[in-house]
């Protein structure tokens, strides 16, 4: 986990899609669980685990550091798309 120092964040996938994932057809699933590990990295820092259930029933577990996850959430929350979702209408 400690070797991962980069997390690409795209606040607008409509304008800037993940074109490199178009072919071959990627597996699809949904985020089913999310949680934190107090000392999830080898250096003892917190990490976030994500459990994704694929459409065929298999599971994929992904993990990133809490710092990267928090930074990504902040970047996404400042996007125009997030602002549209935050309205009461």
């Amino acid at each position: 986990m400690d070797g991962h120092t980069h997390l690409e964040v795209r606040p607008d996938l409509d304008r800037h899609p993940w074109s490199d994932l178009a072919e071959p057809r990627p597996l699809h699933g949904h985020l089913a669980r999310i949680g934190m590990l107090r000392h999830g990295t080898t250096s003892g820092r917190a990490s976030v685990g994500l459990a994704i259930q694929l459409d065929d029933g298999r599971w994929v577990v992904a993990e990133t550091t809490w710092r990267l996850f928090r930074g990504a959430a902040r970047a996404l929350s400042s996007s125009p798309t997030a602002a549209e979702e935050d309205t009461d209408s």
Side-chain angles (χ1 to χ4, degrees):
M1 192 59 223
D2 287 310
H4 297 213
T5 57
H6 177 75
L7 179 63
E8 181 182 311
V9 179
R10 293 202 185 177
D12 189 342
L13 283 174
D14 291 318
R15 291 180 59 197
H16 306 284
W18 291 329
S19 301
D20 58 322
L21 299 182
E23 291 296 329
R25 188 170 165 236
L27 299 173
H28 185 266
H30 70 276
L31 181 61
R33 300 176 192 174
I34 188 168
M36 289 186 72
L37 292 166
R38 183 176 310 277
H39 304 291
T41 68
T42 55
S43 66
R45 295 192 177 275
S47 66
V48 175
L50 305 142
I52 300 149
Q53 187 168 29
L54 300 177
D55 290 344
D56 65 7
R58 292 180 295 161
W59 288 89
V60 175
V61 175
E63 187 178 11
T64 190
T65 64
W66 166 242
R67 286 182 175 185
L68 286 176
F69 185 87
R70 182 180 57 204
R74 285 181 179 163
L76 293 174
S77 68
S78 65
S79 73
T81 304
E84 292 169 9
E85 289 293 314
D86 292 338
T87 62
D88 291 334
S89 55

